[in-house]
Amino acid sequence: MKIKEIKVFVCSPGRNFVTVKIITDAGIHGIGDATLNGREMAVVSYLEEHVAPCLIGRNAHDIEDIWQYLYKGVYWRKGPVNMAAVAAIDMALWDIKGKAAGLPVYQLLGGKSRQGVTLYAHASGEDIKDTLDKTEELINQGFKAVRLQSAVPGLNVTYGVLGDKKDYYELQGNRPFPPEEAWSTQKYFNMIVDLFAQARERFGNDVHLLHDVHSRLTPIESARLGKLLEPYNLMFLEDASIAENQDSYKVIRQHTTTPLAIGETYNTIWDCKDLIQNQLIDYLRAAATHAGGITALRRMADFASIYNVKTAPHGAPDLSPVCFAAHMHLNIWAPNFGIQEFVGLGNEQLKQIFKHQIKVEQGMAYVSDAPGLGIEFDEEEASKYPYKRSYLPVSRLEDGTVWNW
């Protein structure tokens, strides 16, 4: 079964998505997600100019060989643009193989390790009360795990929250230039412990609570935060510090027993190798779209399992439903799966473009048994929503210094 054609689509039904469609001479096609928020067109160019021409005529069943060819053969390995392109090709090939076999992808990986996938939802508020009210709404919907974010008093902004009451995620698709946000570590510390103290008092200990620092703290500040939050038994503290220097997490780990999660910006297993094998983290947050697809994430999961590290794939709204479908198949299979980030199944426009049968009930997601990834892409519908340049925010300290992101 030969690769006959590779198409690349960019659409913006609220935010930008890059979708790859591989068509074979057997009439079977597969789709993959190549979205890279704020750098979408760089991936499109790389796919169209450098990847697609090299794959025409190759056997679509040779997923492993094609992955190695695209990773090792390029010489300039790794990097977000390269790996997003590799990921999309990889997902599409798994989709094709599943359709050819008449089986869902999770069966090709080895079958189910569980019946459903546990999700955690987001509660982001303008203040602590607003955050906790939204948390209660999610708990009432059946979610057993909720990520809490609250605006920092005096700044009226923090990750996941905008002080002007506009929807944070909706604005991801309407930022022609990177917005700039003020940050103060001291003001953040004045708020954060109170947020979780009130949450535990209000909701008890049965619900899992999580928090995303989004790499705004230094390692020693993160260590202090983890220690302060120990009484509130977080499921994990995400992106406590940036880990370009993986040794940074040694500082955090030696001071706190709060579980740590990181990985959404990682592109290969090498980005997290030391963190995993030295048991400096508890959850790996790598995403299939940004880390080389299903083939790569399966290896990461197997490697992590040796060191008691669980998977918790990134699930932000700037990853398309194709990526979410890929995660569902990985999650239902991986013995060391922990939890899946969840921000909903998208707006009505998105649902018309990406059609799937994933069900969400009582804080759990259930994968479709349709062959392949179980998701289809409507080209005609997607053409109604052209690309719209948009960027993530940049953080600055109150004195104007560009800060960690």
Side-chain angles (χ1 to χ4, degrees):
M1 187 165 57
K2 305 298 184 183
I3 295 174
K4 180 181 177 181
E5 186 179 7
I6 299 176
K7 296 181 177 181
V8 184
F9 304 88
V10 186
C11 63
S12 186
R15 57 191 60 87
N16 294 312
F17 298 108
V18 180
T19 305
V20 171
K21 183 176 183 179
I22 298 180
I23 302 167
T24 69
D25 61 2
I28 300 174
H29 73 270
I31 57 173
D33 180 25
T35 305
L36 187 63
N37 192 340
R39 297 295 184 269
E40 297 91 352
M41 301 312 290
V43 184
V44 171
S45 177
Y46 184 64
L47 280 162
E48 292 181 338
E49 299 295 331
H50 304 292
V51 174
C54 296
L55 297 182
I56 302 302
R58 292 182 181 273
N59 189 340
H61 278 308
D62 293 343
I63 298 176
E64 185 64 41
D65 182 70
I66 289 174
W67 194 96
Q68 297 294 338
Y69 173 77
L70 292 177
Y71 180 75
K72 294 180 179 177
V74 74
Y75 186 74
W76 308 106
R77 301 182 186 184
K78 304 190 289 185
V81 173
N82 181 38
M83 296 310 292
V86 173
I89 297 296
D90 185 76
M91 287 183 211
L93 292 176
W94 277 101
D95 192 23
I96 288 169
K97 188 178 284 287
K99 289 173 180 175
L103 293 170
V105 167
Y106 75 79
Q107 292 288 15
L108 305 181
L109 295 172
K112 290 184 178 180
S113 291
R114 56 195 54 81
Q115 295 305 306
V117 172
T118 303
L119 308 170
Y120 74 85
H122 293 188
S124 301
E126 299 164 33
D127 53 33
I128 291 177
K129 183 182 183 304
D130 188 27
T131 299
L132 298 185
D133 288 346
K134 290 176 178 176
T135 301
E136 185 170 354
E137 291 175 11
L138 292 167
I139 293 172
N140 290 339
Q141 292 173 30
F143 287 96
K144 308 295 191 300
V146 184
R147 193 193 78 175
L148 275 55
Q149 309 291 136
S150 181
V152 178
L155 297 180
N156 290 324
V157 65
T158 190
Y159 174 64
V161 182
L162 289 178
D164 56 9
K165 301 184 181 181
K166 294 179 182 177
D167 185 273
Y168 184 87
Y169 297 115
E170 190 174 317
L171 282 174
Q172 283 195 356
N174 190 27
R175 293 164 171 159
F177 296 98
E180 298 189 2
E181 301 175 346
W183 175 256
S184 167
T185 298
Q186 186 58 48
K187 291 176 180 176
Y188 169 74
F189 267 103
N190 290 340
M191 174 275 297
I192 193 64
V193 175
D194 196 26
L195 170 64
F196 283 93
Q198 289 191 38
R200 280 296 177 216
E201 182 178 357
R202 182 165 169 177
F203 305 118
N205 293 311
D206 289 339
V207 62
H208 292 293
L209 302 180
L210 307 87
H211 180 66
D212 186 357
V213 182
H214 222 246
S215 303
R216 283 174 165 84
L217 301 180
T218 65
I220 196 62
E221 290 169 345
S222 297
R224 177 188 170 205
L225 177 62
K227 195 167 185 176
L228 288 171
L229 293 178
E230 282 179 10
Y232 311 109
N233 192 27
L234 270 63
M235 185 174 195
F236 62 65
L237 188 65
E238 179 187 347
D239 289 347
S241 293
I242 201 162
E244 291 169 333
N245 174 9
Q246 295 186 38
D247 283 348
S248 294
Y249 272 63
K250 291 181 180 178
V251 176
I252 305 172
R253 195 61 140 184
Q254 68 183 349
H255 289 291
T256 181
T257 58
T258 295
L260 303 171
I262 197 170
E264 67 184 60
T265 62
Y266 290 169
N267 307 133
T268 73
I269 196 169
W270 302 105
D271 296 322
C272 53
K273 170 182 168 289
D274 292 348
L275 291 171
I276 292 171
Q277 70 182 14
N278 293 323
Q279 296 181 283
L280 300 177
I281 60 172
D282 303 279
Y283 292 86
L284 178 61
R285 300 260 301 122
T289 295
H290 298 146
I294 292 170
T295 296
L297 224 60
R298 178 175 63 168
R299 283 204 182 88
M300 285 182 168
D302 277 338
F303 180 65
S305 69
I306 300 171
Y307 300 97
N308 300 307
V309 174
K310 296 180 180 180
T311 62
H314 188 42
D318 54 9
L319 295 167
S320 92
V322 181
C323 180
F324 186 73
H327 284 167
M328 284 297 297
H329 288 274
L330 285 159
N331 295 341
I332 210 78
W333 155 77
N336 59 322
F337 166 72
I339 198 164
Q340 172 66 56
E341 182 178 20
F342 182 69
V343 292
L345 294 175
N347 57 26
E348 287 306 312
Q349 296 97 319
L350 201 65
K351 292 175 183 177
Q352 292 303 312
I353 296 170
F354 299 96
K355 299 175 182 179
H356 57 81
Q357 301 172 34
I358 297 170
K359 295 181 179 179
V360 175
E361 298 174 351
Q362 294 297 303
M364 300 280 288
Y366 298 91
V367 66
S368 165
D369 280 329
L373 291 175
I375 185 166
E376 289 299 331
F377 176 74
D378 189 322
E379 298 178 32
E380 184 177 346
E381 194 68 27
S383 67
K384 298 177 183 178
Y385 306 97
Y387 168 73
K388 186 177 181 181
R389 191 178 67 187
S390 188
Y391 298 100
L392 290 168
V394 173
S395 289
R396 290 184 182 272
L397 298 182
E398 291 179 296
D399 68 0
T401 304
V402 173
W403 198 234
N404 287 347
W405 175 257

